[in-house]
Amino acid sequence: MTTSFPVTKTGLRFGLATALAGSLALSLLVAPARAADDANPVLAKVNGAEIRKSDVTLAEEELGPSLAQMDPATKDDNVLSFLIDMKLVAKAAEDKKVADSEEFKKRLAFTRNRLLMDSLLASEGKAATTPDAMKKVYEEASKQIGGEQEVHARHILVETEDEAKAVKAELAKGGDFAELAKKKSKDPGASDGGDLGFFTKEQMVPEFANVAFALEPGKISDPVKTQFGWHIIKVEEKRNRKPPEFDQVKSQIETYVTRKAQADYVSKLREAAKIERLDKPAADAAKPADAKPAEPAKK
């Protein structure tokens, strides 16, 4: 005798709830995978092998400068075509056992070491570029810059001493320096009235700088000879050099901190390692200054 169990409303509800809960759990598991696929879609298939958006991004990083002049659409199309060809040729190379050759193995080992080095140095550099480290570099550089004097000057450049004396005579009679510079000076800045802007002593040739920094603002020099010709100099203003704002040099500071951290890291590894240079005498090989760490590939 078979006993049947009635299906109650409660039991039916329980069954539906269980089924819905199972579906919800399944959808929660599938959703992240779908989201990942949406963010990294398949762009092409080569004999079933997928090429995704992330592959194109990686290839763009590697190809770098050769793509710089292309518009985005052309660049993406060319990179994808390159990856398709690479898949085809790589498979053909595998079929021909190219990977078994000693030359290939050497190149593969070199490339692997280079990628390992680049990845680790990039990580070390990134870890070093903290806000505090960058601010410290900025403050130290600002102290060195802050006390340096700058001069704002104009000049008139001519071929001969006689021409320079003639210009000085016109200025003594009340001639306008900027206008005379436009008419007489052979310097490229003549159109700006001979304005050189602010400069430090080291930025000019010594003969010119010594006279310019000795003059008081508003004064005009006697003829000054340099390798470029004869100058008449007028000093407009003097000031202590002001360091640039942090945001103006932030990228330069970041580069400096990154490279210094990488160089320091390599130096520590060298100090801890036993390195034997067989291509030169031991005394020369031991000098750490002779060897510089390889610069990591740009990312």
Side-chain angles (χ1 to χ4, degrees), residues 119-158:
S119 297
L120 182 55
L121 290 183
S123 177
E124 290 293 324
K126 185 176 181 180
T129 53
T130 63
D132 287 345
M134 293 175 66
K135 282 287 186 183
K136 183 179 179 182
V137 170
Y138 173 75
E139 287 167 3
E140 289 174 355
S142 295
K143 289 176 185 176
Q144 295 175 13
I145 292 171
E148 193 172 11
Q149 193 177 56
E150 289 183 311
V151 164
H152 175 199
R154 296 177 183 270
H155 80 135
I156 298 171
L157 177 63
V158 292

PDB file of all heavy atoms in Angstrom, residues 119-158:
ATOM      1  N   SER A 119      59.610  44.947 -12.442  1.00  0.00           N
ATOM      2  CA  SER A 119      58.449  44.874 -11.545  1.00  0.00           C
ATOM      3  C   SER A 119      58.832  45.210 -10.112  1.00  0.00           C
ATOM      4  O   SER A 119      58.137  45.977  -9.429  1.00  0.00           O
ATOM      5  CB  SER A 119      57.815  43.477 -11.603  1.00  0.00           C
ATOM      6  OG  SER A 119      57.326  43.209 -12.896  1.00  0.00           O
ATOM      7  N   LEU A 120      59.950  44.651  -9.658  1.00  0.00           N
ATOM      8  CA  LEU A 120      60.361  44.899  -8.273  1.00  0.00           C
ATOM      9  C   LEU A 120      60.810  46.346  -8.078  1.00  0.00           C
ATOM     10  O   LEU A 120      60.458  46.990  -7.087  1.00  0.00           O
ATOM     11  CB  LEU A 120      61.490  43.947  -7.878  1.00  0.00           C
ATOM     12  CG  LEU A 120      61.994  44.073  -6.429  1.00  0.00           C
ATOM     13  CD1 LEU A 120      60.851  43.934  -5.440  1.00  0.00           C
ATOM     14  CD2 LEU A 120      63.077  43.054  -6.148  1.00  0.00           C
ATOM     15  N   LEU A 121      61.580  46.890  -9.028  1.00  0.00           N
ATOM     16  CA  LEU A 121      62.034  48.273  -8.899  1.00  0.00           C
ATOM     17  C   LEU A 121      60.872  49.249  -8.987  1.00  0.00           C
ATOM     18  O   LEU A 121      60.854  50.285  -8.302  1.00  0.00           O
ATOM     19  CB  LEU A 121      63.076  48.592  -9.964  1.00  0.00           C
ATOM     20  CG  LEU A 121      64.439  47.918  -9.792  1.00  0.00           C
ATOM     21  CD1 LEU A 121      65.404  48.372 -10.876  1.00  0.00           C
ATOM     22  CD2 LEU A 121      65.034  48.183  -8.405  1.00  0.00           C
ATOM     23  N   ALA A 122      59.886  48.931  -9.815  1.00  0.00           N
ATOM     24  CA  ALA A 122      58.697  49.783  -9.887  1.00  0.00           C
ATOM     25  C   ALA A 122      57.968  49.791  -8.548  1.00  0.00           C
ATOM     26  O   ALA A 122      57.504  50.837  -8.076  1.00  0.00           O
ATOM     27  CB  ALA A 122      57.768  49.294 -10.995  1.00  0.00           C
ATOM     28  N   SER A 123      57.898  48.622  -7.914  1.00  0.00           N
ATOM     29  CA  SER A 123      57.252  48.506  -6.608  1.00  0.00           C
ATOM     30  C   SER A 123      58.023  49.281  -5.540  1.00  0.00           C
ATOM     31  O   SER A 123      57.433  49.996  -4.717  1.00  0.00           O
ATOM     32  CB  SER A 123      57.154  47.032  -6.216  1.00  0.00           C
ATOM     33  OG  SER A 123      56.604  46.891  -4.932  1.00  0.00           O
ATOM     34  N   GLU A 124      59.356  49.153  -5.551  1.00  0.00           N
ATOM     35  CA  GLU A 124      60.185  49.887  -4.586  1.00  0.00           C
ATOM     36  C   GLU A 124      60.052  51.398  -4.784  1.00  0.00           C
ATOM     37  O   GLU A 124      59.965  52.160  -3.824  1.00  0.00           O
ATOM     38  CB  GLU A 124      61.651  49.476  -4.738  1.00  0.00           C
ATOM     39  CG  GLU A 124      61.956  48.071  -4.270  1.00  0.00           C
ATOM     40  CD  GLU A 124      61.806  47.903  -2.765  1.00  0.00           C
ATOM     41  OE1 GLU A 124      62.135  48.850  -2.038  1.00  0.00           O
ATOM     42  OE2 GLU A 124      61.350  46.828  -2.337  1.00  0.00           O
ATOM     43  N   GLY A 125      60.044  51.821  -6.040  1.00  0.00           N
ATOM     44  CA  GLY A 125      59.915  53.246  -6.330  1.00  0.00           C
ATOM     45  C   GLY A 125      58.576  53.793  -5.884  1.00  0.00           C
ATOM     46  O   GLY A 125      58.494  54.884  -5.297  1.00  0.00           O
ATOM     47  N   LYS A 126      57.527  53.046  -6.152  1.00  0.00           N
ATOM     48  CA  LYS A 126      56.183  53.484  -5.769  1.00  0.00           C
ATOM     49  C   LYS A 126      56.054  53.588  -4.253  1.00  0.00           C
ATOM     50  O   LYS A 126      55.455  54.530  -3.729  1.00  0.00           O
ATOM     51  CB  LYS A 126      55.142  52.514  -6.325  1.00  0.00           C
ATOM     52  CG  LYS A 126      53.705  52.949  -6.082  1.00  0.00           C
ATOM     53  CD  LYS A 126      52.721  51.988  -6.750  1.00  0.00           C
ATOM     54  CE  LYS A 126      51.284  52.440  -6.522  1.00  0.00           C
ATOM     55  NZ  LYS A 126      50.312  51.510  -7.159  1.00  0.00           N
ATOM     56  N   ALA A 127      56.618  52.607  -3.548  1.00  0.00           N
ATOM     57  CA  ALA A 127      56.544  52.612  -2.082  1.00  0.00           C
ATOM     58  C   ALA A 127      57.286  53.801  -1.477  1.00  0.00           C
ATOM     59  O   ALA A 127      56.933  54.294  -0.400  1.00  0.00           O
ATOM     60  CB  ALA A 127      57.112  51.308  -1.537  1.00  0.00           C
ATOM     61  N   ALA A 128      58.313  54.273  -2.188  1.00  0.00           N
ATOM     62  CA  ALA A 128      59.142  55.374  -1.651  1.00  0.00           C
ATOM     63  C   ALA A 128      58.507  56.741  -1.836  1.00  0.00           C
ATOM     64  O   ALA A 128      58.832  57.689  -1.114  1.00  0.00           O
ATOM     65  CB  ALA A 128      60.510  55.358  -2.323  1.00  0.00           C
ATOM     66  N   THR A 129      57.602  56.865  -2.806  1.00  0.00           N
ATOM     67  CA  THR A 129      57.053  58.200  -3.120  1.00  0.00           C
ATOM     68  C   THR A 129      55.873  58.533  -2.220  1.00  0.00           C
ATOM     69  O   THR A 129      54.752  58.748  -2.675  1.00  0.00           O
ATOM     70  CB  THR A 129      56.620  58.280  -4.603  1.00  0.00           C
ATOM     71  OG1 THR A 129      55.728  57.189  -4.900  1.00  0.00           O
ATOM     72  CG2 THR A 129      57.805  58.219  -5.526  1.00  0.00           C
ATOM     73  N   THR A 130      56.156  58.593  -0.935  1.00  0.00           N
ATOM     74  CA  THR A 130      55.127  58.992   0.029  1.00  0.00           C
ATOM     75  C   THR A 130      55.063  60.516   0.085  1.00  0.00           C
ATOM     76  O   THR A 130      56.042  61.208  -0.255  1.00  0.00           O
ATOM     77  CB  THR A 130      55.462  58.460   1.426  1.00  0.00           C
ATOM     78  OG1 THR A 130      56.706  59.050   1.866  1.00  0.00           O
ATOM     79  CG2 THR A 130      55.594  56.948   1.419  1.00  0.00           C
ATOM     80  N   PRO A 131      53.934  61.087   0.509  1.00  0.00           N
ATOM     81  CA  PRO A 131      53.836  62.549   0.636  1.00  0.00           C
ATOM     82  C   PRO A 131      54.937  63.136   1.514  1.00  0.00           C
ATOM     83  O   PRO A 131      55.502  64.181   1.188  1.00  0.00           O
ATOM     84  CB  PRO A 131      52.449  62.747   1.263  1.00  0.00           C
ATOM     85  CG  PRO A 131      51.663  61.552   0.803  1.00  0.00           C
ATOM     86  CD  PRO A 131      52.645  60.417   0.789  1.00  0.00           C
ATOM     87  N   ASP A 132      55.263  62.453   2.608  1.00  0.00           N
ATOM     88  CA  ASP A 132      56.296  62.959   3.520  1.00  0.00           C
ATOM     89  C   ASP A 132      57.672  62.985   2.843  1.00  0.00           C
ATOM     90  O   ASP A 132      58.434  63.946   2.994  1.00  0.00           O
ATOM     91  CB  ASP A 132      56.370  62.098   4.783  1.00  0.00           C
ATOM     92  CG  ASP A 132      55.178  62.335   5.709  1.00  0.00           C
ATOM     93  OD1 ASP A 132      54.470  63.354   5.518  1.00  0.00           O
ATOM     94  OD2 ASP A 132      54.957  61.506   6.614  1.00  0.00           O
ATOM     95  N   ALA A 133      58.002  61.923   2.104  1.00  0.00           N
ATOM     96  CA  ALA A 133      59.302  61.852   1.432  1.00  0.00           C
ATOM     97  C   ALA A 133      59.421  62.941   0.370  1.00  0.00           C
ATOM     98  O   ALA A 133      60.469  63.579   0.232  1.00  0.00           O
ATOM     99  CB  ALA A 133      59.489  60.473   0.801  1.00  0.00           C
ATOM    100  N   MET A 134      58.350  63.165  -0.358  1.00  0.00           N
ATOM    101  CA  MET A 134      58.373  64.177  -1.414  1.00  0.00           C
ATOM    102  C   MET A 134      58.460  65.585  -0.833  1.00  0.00           C
ATOM    103  O   MET A 134      59.176  66.438  -1.348  1.00  0.00           O
ATOM    104  CB  MET A 134      57.147  64.021  -2.313  1.00  0.00           C
ATOM    105  CG  MET A 134      57.182  62.720  -3.126  1.00  0.00           C
ATOM    106  SD  MET A 134      55.703  62.429  -4.097  1.00  0.00           S
ATOM    107  CE  MET A 134      55.782  63.771  -5.272  1.00  0.00           C
ATOM    108  N   LYS A 135      57.746  65.821   0.243  1.00  0.00           N
ATOM    109  CA  LYS A 135      57.801  67.133   0.908  1.00  0.00           C
ATOM    110  C   LYS A 135      59.204  67.409   1.456  1.00  0.00           C
ATOM    111  O   LYS A 135      59.703  68.541   1.389  1.00  0.00           O
ATOM    112  CB  LYS A 135      56.785  67.190   2.052  1.00  0.00           C
ATOM    113  CG  LYS A 135      55.351  67.406   1.605  1.00  0.00           C
ATOM    114  CD  LYS A 135      55.117  68.831   1.144  1.00  0.00           C
ATOM    115  CE  LYS A 135      53.655  69.093   0.836  1.00  0.00           C
ATOM    116  NZ  LYS A 135      53.432  70.465   0.326  1.00  0.00           N
ATOM    117  N   LYS A 136      59.841  66.371   1.985  1.00  0.00           N
ATOM    118  CA  LYS A 136      61.185  66.530   2.536  1.00  0.00           C
ATOM    119  C   LYS A 136      62.176  66.929   1.450  1.00  0.00           C
ATOM    120  O   LYS A 136      62.997  67.844   1.639  1.00  0.00           O
ATOM    121  CB  LYS A 136      61.632  65.226   3.202  1.00  0.00           C
ATOM    122  CG  LYS A 136      62.991  65.329   3.877  1.00  0.00           C
ATOM    123  CD  LYS A 136      63.372  64.022   4.554  1.00  0.00           C
ATOM    124  CE  LYS A 136      64.750  64.127   5.208  1.00  0.00           C
ATOM    125  NZ  LYS A 136      65.154  62.840   5.842  1.00  0.00           N
ATOM    126  N   VAL A 137      62.101  66.269   0.300  1.00  0.00           N
ATOM    127  CA  VAL A 137      62.979  66.613  -0.826  1.00  0.00           C
ATOM    128  C   VAL A 137      62.727  68.043  -1.271  1.00  0.00           C
ATOM    129  O   VAL A 137      63.660  68.805  -1.544  1.00  0.00           O
ATOM    130  CB  VAL A 137      62.765  65.623  -1.996  1.00  0.00           C
ATOM    131  CG1 VAL A 137      63.471  66.113  -3.249  1.00  0.00           C
ATOM    132  CG2 VAL A 137      63.275  64.242  -1.622  1.00  0.00           C
ATOM    133  N   TYR A 138      61.452  68.415  -1.347  1.00  0.00           N
ATOM    134  CA  TYR A 138      61.091  69.780  -1.769  1.00  0.00           C
ATOM    135  C   TYR A 138      61.653  70.819  -0.803  1.00  0.00           C
ATOM    136  O   TYR A 138      62.221  71.840  -1.222  1.00  0.00           O
ATOM    137  CB  TYR A 138      59.575  69.907  -1.854  1.00  0.00           C
ATOM    138  CG  TYR A 138      59.097  71.316  -2.106  1.00  0.00           C
ATOM    139  CD1 TYR A 138      59.217  71.897  -3.370  1.00  0.00           C
ATOM    140  CD2 TYR A 138      58.544  72.090  -1.082  1.00  0.00           C
ATOM    141  CE1 TYR A 138      58.798  73.197  -3.610  1.00  0.00           C
ATOM    142  CE2 TYR A 138      58.122  73.378  -1.308  1.00  0.00           C
ATOM    143  CZ  TYR A 138      58.244  73.931  -2.573  1.00  0.00           C
ATOM    144  OH  TYR A 138      57.835  75.232  -2.794  1.00  0.00           O
ATOM    145  N   GLU A 139      61.516  70.563   0.480  1.00  0.00           N
ATOM    146  CA  GLU A 139      61.981  71.529   1.489  1.00  0.00           C
ATOM    147  C   GLU A 139      63.502  71.673   1.454  1.00  0.00           C
ATOM    148  O   GLU A 139      64.026  72.787   1.585  1.00  0.00           O
ATOM    149  CB  GLU A 139      61.515  71.086   2.877  1.00  0.00           C
ATOM    150  CG  GLU A 139      60.014  71.302   3.087  1.00  0.00           C
ATOM    151  CD  GLU A 139      59.483  70.588   4.314  1.00  0.00           C
ATOM    152  OE1 GLU A 139      60.316  69.968   5.039  1.00  0.00           O
ATOM    153  OE2 GLU A 139      58.266  70.628   4.555  1.00  0.00           O
ATOM    154  N   GLU A 140      64.211  70.567   1.278  1.00  0.00           N
ATOM    155  CA  GLU A 140      65.678  70.629   1.220  1.00  0.00           C
ATOM    156  C   GLU A 140      66.143  71.393  -0.018  1.00  0.00           C
ATOM    157  O   GLU A 140      67.078  72.202   0.047  1.00  0.00           O
ATOM    158  CB  GLU A 140      66.254  69.212   1.214  1.00  0.00           C
ATOM    159  CG  GLU A 140      66.111  68.501   2.556  1.00  0.00           C
ATOM    160  CD  GLU A 140      66.559  67.047   2.504  1.00  0.00           C
ATOM    161  OE1 GLU A 140      66.893  66.580   1.392  1.00  0.00           O
ATOM    162  OE2 GLU A 140      66.583  66.395   3.567  1.00  0.00           O
ATOM    163  N   ALA A 141      65.489  71.141  -1.152  1.00  0.00           N
ATOM    164  CA  ALA A 141      65.847  71.858  -2.376  1.00  0.00           C
ATOM    165  C   ALA A 141      65.496  73.330  -2.267  1.00  0.00           C
ATOM    166  O   ALA A 141      66.237  74.198  -2.750  1.00  0.00           O
ATOM    167  CB  ALA A 141      65.121  71.229  -3.568  1.00  0.00           C
ATOM    168  N   SER A 142      64.381  73.642  -1.615  1.00  0.00           N
ATOM    169  CA  SER A 142      63.944  75.035  -1.461  1.00  0.00           C
ATOM    170  C   SER A 142      64.936  75.846  -0.634  1.00  0.00           C
ATOM    171  O   SER A 142      65.173  77.021  -0.907  1.00  0.00           O
ATOM    172  CB  SER A 142      62.562  75.082  -0.799  1.00  0.00           C
ATOM    173  OG  SER A 142      61.590  74.492  -1.634  1.00  0.00           O
ATOM    174  N   LYS A 143      65.539  75.202   0.375  1.00  0.00           N
ATOM    175  CA  LYS A 143      66.533  75.895   1.206  1.00  0.00           C
ATOM    176  C   LYS A 143      67.747  76.302   0.378  1.00  0.00           C
ATOM    177  O   LYS A 143      68.308  77.384   0.554  1.00  0.00           O
ATOM    178  CB  LYS A 143      66.971  75.000   2.367  1.00  0.00           C
ATOM    179  CG  LYS A 143      65.911  74.808   3.438  1.00  0.00           C
ATOM    180  CD  LYS A 143      66.392  73.831   4.499  1.00  0.00           C
ATOM    181  CE  LYS A 143      65.304  73.537   5.521  1.00  0.00           C
ATOM    182  NZ  LYS A 143      65.747  72.512   6.510  1.00  0.00           N
ATOM    183  N   GLN A 144      68.159  75.420  -0.534  1.00  0.00           N
ATOM    184  CA  GLN A 144      69.326  75.711  -1.374  1.00  0.00           C
ATOM    185  C   GLN A 144      69.027  76.818  -2.378  1.00  0.00           C
ATOM    186  O   GLN A 144      69.867  77.643  -2.682  1.00  0.00           O
ATOM    187  CB  GLN A 144      69.753  74.440  -2.106  1.00  0.00           C
ATOM    188  CG  GLN A 144      70.240  73.335  -1.174  1.00  0.00           C
ATOM    189  CD  GLN A 144      70.549  72.047  -1.917  1.00  0.00           C
ATOM    190  OE1 GLN A 144      70.640  72.033  -3.134  1.00  0.00           O
ATOM    191  NE2 GLN A 144      70.709  70.959  -1.185  1.00  0.00           N
ATOM    192  N   ILE A 145      67.793  76.814  -2.886  1.00  0.00           N
ATOM    193  CA  ILE A 145      67.406  77.803  -3.895  1.00  0.00           C
ATOM    194  C   ILE A 145      67.141  79.161  -3.270  1.00  0.00           C
ATOM    195  O   ILE A 145      67.484  80.200  -3.828  1.00  0.00           O
ATOM    196  CB  ILE A 145      66.142  77.320  -4.655  1.00  0.00           C
ATOM    197  CG1 ILE A 145      66.482  76.101  -5.493  1.00  0.00           C
ATOM    198  CG2 ILE A 145      65.562  78.422  -5.532  1.00  0.00           C
ATOM    199  CD1 ILE A 145      65.271  75.426  -6.112  1.00  0.00           C
ATOM    200  N   GLY A 146      66.533  79.153  -2.060  1.00  0.00           N
ATOM    201  CA  GLY A 146      66.040  80.390  -1.447  1.00  0.00           C
ATOM    202  C   GLY A 146      67.058  81.500  -1.279  1.00  0.00           C
ATOM    203  O   GLY A 146      66.729  82.670  -1.426  1.00  0.00           O
ATOM    204  N   GLY A 147      68.306  81.166  -0.975  1.00  0.00           N
ATOM    205  CA  GLY A 147      69.294  82.212  -0.715  1.00  0.00           C
ATOM    206  C   GLY A 147      70.016  82.716  -1.948  1.00  0.00           C
ATOM    207  O   GLY A 147      70.847  83.629  -1.857  1.00  0.00           O
ATOM    208  N   GLU A 148      69.733  82.162  -3.105  1.00  0.00           N
ATOM    209  CA  GLU A 148      70.452  82.528  -4.328  1.00  0.00           C
ATOM    210  C   GLU A 148      69.880  83.813  -4.927  1.00  0.00           C
ATOM    211  O   GLU A 148      68.669  83.996  -5.001  1.00  0.00           O
ATOM    212  CB  GLU A 148      70.341  81.384  -5.341  1.00  0.00           C
ATOM    213  CG  GLU A 148      71.291  81.500  -6.502  1.00  0.00           C
ATOM    214  CD  GLU A 148      71.269  80.250  -7.371  1.00  0.00           C
ATOM    215  OE1 GLU A 148      70.366  79.407  -7.184  1.00  0.00           O
ATOM    216  OE2 GLU A 148      72.151  80.125  -8.242  1.00  0.00           O
ATOM    217  N   GLN A 149      70.780  84.711  -5.363  1.00  0.00           N
ATOM    218  CA  GLN A 149      70.334  85.988  -5.936  1.00  0.00           C
ATOM    219  C   GLN A 149      70.052  85.872  -7.425  1.00  0.00           C
ATOM    220  O   GLN A 149      70.721  85.135  -8.148  1.00  0.00           O
ATOM    221  CB  GLN A 149      71.384  87.077  -5.709  1.00  0.00           C
ATOM    222  CG  GLN A 149      70.861  88.479  -6.000  1.00  0.00           C
ATOM    223  CD  GLN A 149      71.887  89.557  -5.694  1.00  0.00           C
ATOM    224  OE1 GLN A 149      72.992  89.537  -6.213  1.00  0.00           O
ATOM    225  NE2 GLN A 149      71.523  90.506  -4.835  1.00  0.00           N
ATOM    226  N   GLU A 150      69.030  86.602  -7.866  1.00  0.00           N
ATOM    227  CA  GLU A 150      68.677  86.674  -9.278  1.00  0.00           C
ATOM    228  C   GLU A 150      68.678  88.130  -9.715  1.00  0.00           C
ATOM    229  O   GLU A 150      68.406  89.032  -8.921  1.00  0.00           O
ATOM    230  CB  GLU A 150      67.273  86.118  -9.532  1.00  0.00           C
ATOM    231  CG  GLU A 150      67.126  84.627  -9.403  1.00  0.00           C
ATOM    232  CD  GLU A 150      65.716  84.173  -9.751  1.00  0.00           C
ATOM    233  OE1 GLU A 150      64.764  84.778  -9.215  1.00  0.00           O
ATOM    234  OE2 GLU A 150      65.564  83.230 -10.538  1.00  0.00           O
ATOM    235  N   VAL A 151      69.003  88.339 -10.986  1.00  0.00           N
ATOM    236  CA  VAL A 151      68.979  89.677 -11.573  1.00  0.00           C
ATOM    237  C   VAL A 151      68.037  89.674 -12.764  1.00  0.00           C
ATOM    238  O   VAL A 151      68.025  88.730 -13.558  1.00  0.00           O
ATOM    239  CB  VAL A 151      70.401  90.099 -12.025  1.00  0.00           C
ATOM    240  CG1 VAL A 151      70.343  91.289 -12.974  1.00  0.00           C
ATOM    241  CG2 VAL A 151      71.244  90.466 -10.810  1.00  0.00           C
ATOM    242  N   HIS A 152      67.252  90.733 -12.857  1.00  0.00           N
ATOM    243  CA  HIS A 152      66.414  90.953 -14.051  1.00  0.00           C
ATOM    244  C   HIS A 152      67.105  92.056 -14.854  1.00  0.00           C
ATOM    245  O   HIS A 152      67.277  93.168 -14.366  1.00  0.00           O
ATOM    246  CB  HIS A 152      65.007  91.389 -13.639  1.00  0.00           C
ATOM    247  CG  HIS A 152      64.131  91.733 -14.802  1.00  0.00           C
ATOM    248  ND1 HIS A 152      62.990  92.486 -14.673  1.00  0.00           N
ATOM    249  CD2 HIS A 152      64.232  91.432 -16.134  1.00  0.00           C
ATOM    250  CE1 HIS A 152      62.416  92.628 -15.854  1.00  0.00           C
ATOM    251  NE2 HIS A 152      63.159  92.002 -16.753  1.00  0.00           N
ATOM    252  N   ALA A 153      67.522  91.712 -16.076  1.00  0.00           N
ATOM    253  CA  ALA A 153      68.287  92.682 -16.862  1.00  0.00           C
ATOM    254  C   ALA A 153      67.855  92.677 -18.329  1.00  0.00           C
ATOM    255  O   ALA A 153      67.223  91.745 -18.810  1.00  0.00           O
ATOM    256  CB  ALA A 153      69.778  92.375 -16.771  1.00  0.00           C
ATOM    257  N   ARG A 154      68.237  93.778 -19.014  1.00  0.00           N
ATOM    258  CA  ARG A 154      68.108  93.878 -20.469  1.00  0.00           C
ATOM    259  C   ARG A 154      69.509  94.058 -21.031  1.00  0.00           C
ATOM    260  O   ARG A 154      70.422  94.475 -20.317  1.00  0.00           O
ATOM    261  CB  ARG A 154      67.254  95.086 -20.865  1.00  0.00           C
ATOM    262  CG  ARG A 154      65.811  95.023 -20.413  1.00  0.00           C
ATOM    263  CD  ARG A 154      65.062  96.305 -20.789  1.00  0.00           C
ATOM    264  NE  ARG A 154      63.704  96.282 -20.291  1.00  0.00           N
ATOM    265  CZ  ARG A 154      62.663  95.798 -20.957  1.00  0.00           C
ATOM    266  NH1 ARG A 154      62.851  95.316 -22.183  1.00  0.00           N
ATOM    267  NH2 ARG A 154      61.457  95.807 -20.442  1.00  0.00           N
ATOM    268  N   HIS A 155      69.667  93.751 -22.322  1.00  0.00           N
ATOM    269  CA  HIS A 155      70.957  94.034 -22.936  1.00  0.00           C
ATOM    270  C   HIS A 155      70.785  94.353 -24.407  1.00  0.00           C
ATOM    271  O   HIS A 155      69.782  94.006 -25.030  1.00  0.00           O
ATOM    272  CB  HIS A 155      71.928  92.858 -22.734  1.00  0.00           C
ATOM    273  CG  HIS A 155      71.721  91.711 -23.673  1.00  0.00           C
ATOM    274  ND1 HIS A 155      72.754  91.087 -24.323  1.00  0.00           N
ATOM    275  CD2 HIS A 155      70.590  91.088 -24.091  1.00  0.00           C
ATOM    276  CE1 HIS A 155      72.271  90.114 -25.080  1.00  0.00           C
ATOM    277  NE2 HIS A 155      70.970  90.097 -24.964  1.00  0.00           N
ATOM    278  N   ILE A 156      71.801  95.042 -24.923  1.00  0.00           N
ATOM    279  CA  ILE A 156      71.876  95.331 -26.356  1.00  0.00           C
ATOM    280  C   ILE A 156      73.177  94.713 -26.844  1.00  0.00           C
ATOM    281  O   ILE A 156      74.254  95.009 -26.313  1.00  0.00           O
ATOM    282  CB  ILE A 156      71.852  96.844 -26.627  1.00  0.00           C
ATOM    283  CG1 ILE A 156      70.535  97.446 -26.127  1.00  0.00           C
ATOM    284  CG2 ILE A 156      72.052  97.136 -28.115  1.00  0.00           C
ATOM    285  CD1 ILE A 156      70.496  98.971 -26.147  1.00  0.00           C
ATOM    286  N   LEU A 157      73.090  93.838 -27.820  1.00  0.00           N
ATOM    287  CA  LEU A 157      74.252  93.103 -28.328  1.00  0.00           C
ATOM    288  C   LEU A 157      74.605  93.590 -29.734  1.00  0.00           C
ATOM    289  O   LEU A 157      73.767  93.579 -30.633  1.00  0.00           O
ATOM    290  CB  LEU A 157      73.953  91.602 -28.365  1.00  0.00           C
ATOM    291  CG  LEU A 157      75.037  90.689 -28.948  1.00  0.00           C
ATOM    292  CD1 LEU A 157      76.301  90.756 -28.098  1.00  0.00           C
ATOM    293  CD2 LEU A 157      74.529  89.258 -29.039  1.00  0.00           C
ATOM    294  N   VAL A 158      75.858  94.018 -29.891  1.00  0.00           N
ATOM    295  CA  VAL A 158      76.335  94.494 -31.196  1.00  0.00           C
ATOM    296  C   VAL A 158      77.667  93.821 -31.526  1.00  0.00           C
ATOM    297  O   VAL A 158      78.273  93.151 -30.694  1.00  0.00           O
ATOM    298  CB  VAL A 158      76.487  96.034 -31.212  1.00  0.00           C
ATOM    299  CG1 VAL A 158      75.120  96.713 -31.116  1.00  0.00           C
ATOM    300  CG2 VAL A 158      77.401  96.503 -30.074  1.00  0.00           C
TER     301      VAL A 158
END
